[in-house]
Amino acid sequence: MTTAPAPVRAVRQDALADLADVPAVSRWARNGALRLHVLDYGGPGVPLVVLPGITSPAVTMDFVARPLRDLVRPVVVDVRGRGLSDAGTDYTLEAYADDTVAVIDELGLDRPLLLGHSMGARVAAVAAARGVPSRGVVMVDPPMSGPGRGPYPTSLEAFLGQLARARRGTDADEVARDWPRWPRTEQELRARWLSSCDEDAIAATHAGFESEDFFDTWPALRVPSVLIYGSDSPVVTASGAEEARETNPDARLVAVPDAGHMVFWDNPGPAADVLRAALDSLLSPAAVPPSNAVTRSSAVPRIRPAKEDLP
C-alpha cells in the first residue's frame, strides 16, 4: 500500500509577482538555522516591527504598513511557517518571540515599536514582556482564549479547510464566501498566498491559542501599550476587554467600530485611523515607560505550555 505524500507548502508564481508592487525590500534574518523573510519599507522613521496573524503572510499586511511610511519604517515579518520564511519545529509563543528578537538584532533595529495582529499580538506581548528594548507595543485583537477560558472561536477544521482549498487552487470569489466584507484586493491576495502557510504551523499555533494564556503576559508589560480590538470581535469580547483593563491599567484600550476579529480587513479606514493615532501617541515624548519598567535582562520568565497541551 502506497502512503500519500504529506501536503507541502507552495508559493504560487502569481503570488511572488505581487512583490513587484510592494514598495519594500525583501531582507532576511536568521534565528539559528531558521531563515526569516521580512518586507522592509525603509525610510528614516522609527522601525515598526509588524507581526501578522496565524494565516497571514507578510505581504497581506501591505495595505496596513504602506500608509504608515510617513510616520515609521514598517518591517513586516513572514513569521515562521508562512510566506517565504522557513517552517520550524516549535510554534510556541516563545519560539515566535525568539524569531522577533532575531529580526530586531540582525537588522539592527534600534528600539522599535512592535505591532501585532491576532497571533502576532500575542507574540508582540511576549517579546515586549521579555524587556526587548522597545518604544511601545500595539496589540490588535489578541486571542484571549487559553486554559480554562474556552475554545478559540474559529475551529482548526475551518482553518484547514481554507488551506485545503488554497492548495487545490482557490480564487477571490471563493475567499469572499468566508470573508465577504474584505476589500477585493485583500481577498485576491489571500487566495494567492494562503498556500504558503504550513499546516503544522497552523495546527500547533491553533493549539497554542487554547494552551497558552495571553493574561500570563499582559499584566507583565512594562512598556507603553495600546490594545486595539474590533467592537464586534468574538475573540476580544466585552468581558475580555474588561479583564484587560483591570489587569493592566497602564495600557490604553481602543475599540474599532463595526469590526470583527480581522479589524483592518473588516473596517479599513477607521482601523487605520485608530492605528495611526496609537502610533502617534507612542512616538510622543510623553510616552514614557511606567516607572517600574523592566530591562531586557530582568524580563519575565518564559512561558511554556504543558507538554500535554501540545498537538
Side-chain angles (χ1 to χ4, degrees):
M1 180 177 177
T2 303
T3 303
V8 296
R9 299 167 62 193
V11 181
R12 295 166 40 168
Q13 185 281 328
D14 56 353
L16 285 173
D18 286 327
L19 298 177
D21 300 321
V22 176
V25 175
S26 283
R27 299 183 69 186
W28 296 85
R30 284 182 179 270
N31 179 14
L34 192 140
R35 297 162 299 186
L36 296 160
H37 172 256
V38 306
L39 291 173
D40 185 348
Y41 288 74
V46 171
L48 172 70
V49 177
V50 183
L51 302 164
I54 183 171
T55 54
S56 297
V59 69
T60 65
M61 292 198 74
D62 174 61
F63 79 112
V64 177
R66 186 186 299 223
L68 298 173
R69 289 176 295 163
D70 64 322
L71 184 66
V72 292
R73 169 190 167 190
V75 178
V76 189
V77 181
D78 265 331
V79 296
R80 59 171 60 197
R82 286 81 168 179
L84 302 184
S85 290
D86 286 344
T89 56
D90 183 347
Y91 292 99
T92 59
L93 288 174
E94 293 295 347
Y96 286 123
D98 286 343
D99 293 345
T100 304
V101 172
V103 167
I104 293 170
D105 287 347
E106 291 228 342
L107 300 188
L109 305 179
D110 180 29
R111 293 188 64 224
L113 293 160
L114 303 178
L115 164 65
H117 170 247
S118 189
M119 173 198 77
R122 289 160 61 96
V123 176
V126 171
R130 284 187 186 180
V132 171
S134 169
R135 298 169 194 264
V137 57
V138 180
M139 292 148 285
V140 183
D141 231 68
M144 294 181 171
S145 50
R149 295 180 178 276
Y152 184 71
T154 302
S155 70
L156 176 60
E157 290 71 24
F159 279 116
L160 296 185
Q162 294 168 15
L163 180 61
R165 292 193 290 276
R167 287 171 173 159
R168 179 250 296 153
T170 190
D171 59 21
D173 288 340
E174 194 168 50
V175 170
R177 294 173 198 160
D178 291 318
W179 308 105
R181 296 183 57 183
W182 289 13
R184 186 64 171 179
T185 53
E186 305 316 316
Q187 294 167 342
E188 292 169 346
L189 272 179
R190 186 172 178 87
R192 290 192 290 269
W193 278 91
L194 183 57
S195 61
S196 74
C197 296
D198 184 270
E199 181 171 329
D200 290 342
I202 295 172
T205 302
H206 189 274
F209 287 168
E210 298 174 7
S211 63
E212 298 172 293
D213 195 338
F214 174 72
F215 287 99
D216 286 344
T217 304
W218 169 252
L221 293 176
R222 296 292 181 267
V223 294
S225 304
V226 181
L227 194 156
I228 297 171
Y229 62 100
S231 63
D232 304 325
S233 173
V235 173
V236 177
T237 62
S239 62
E242 185 57 32
E243 182 174 354
R245 286 190 185 88
E246 292 175 352
T247 53
N248 189 346
D250 287 329
R252 190 157 60 88
L253 274 70
V254 186
V256 175
D258 194 27
H261 176 58
M262 300 300 287
V263 180
F264 298 114
W265 292 257
D266 290 343
N267 201 359
D273 291 343
V274 168
L275 174 59
R276 176 171 283 271
L279 295 174
D280 267 331
S281 72
L282 295 177
L283 290 169
S284 165
V288 296
S291 58
N292 56 344
V294 296
T295 64
R296 187 167 180 169
S297 59
S298 59
V300 296
R302 292 187 169 199
I303 301 165
R304 290 284 186 189
K307 288 185 177 179
E308 58 270 25
D309 291 332
L310 294 172

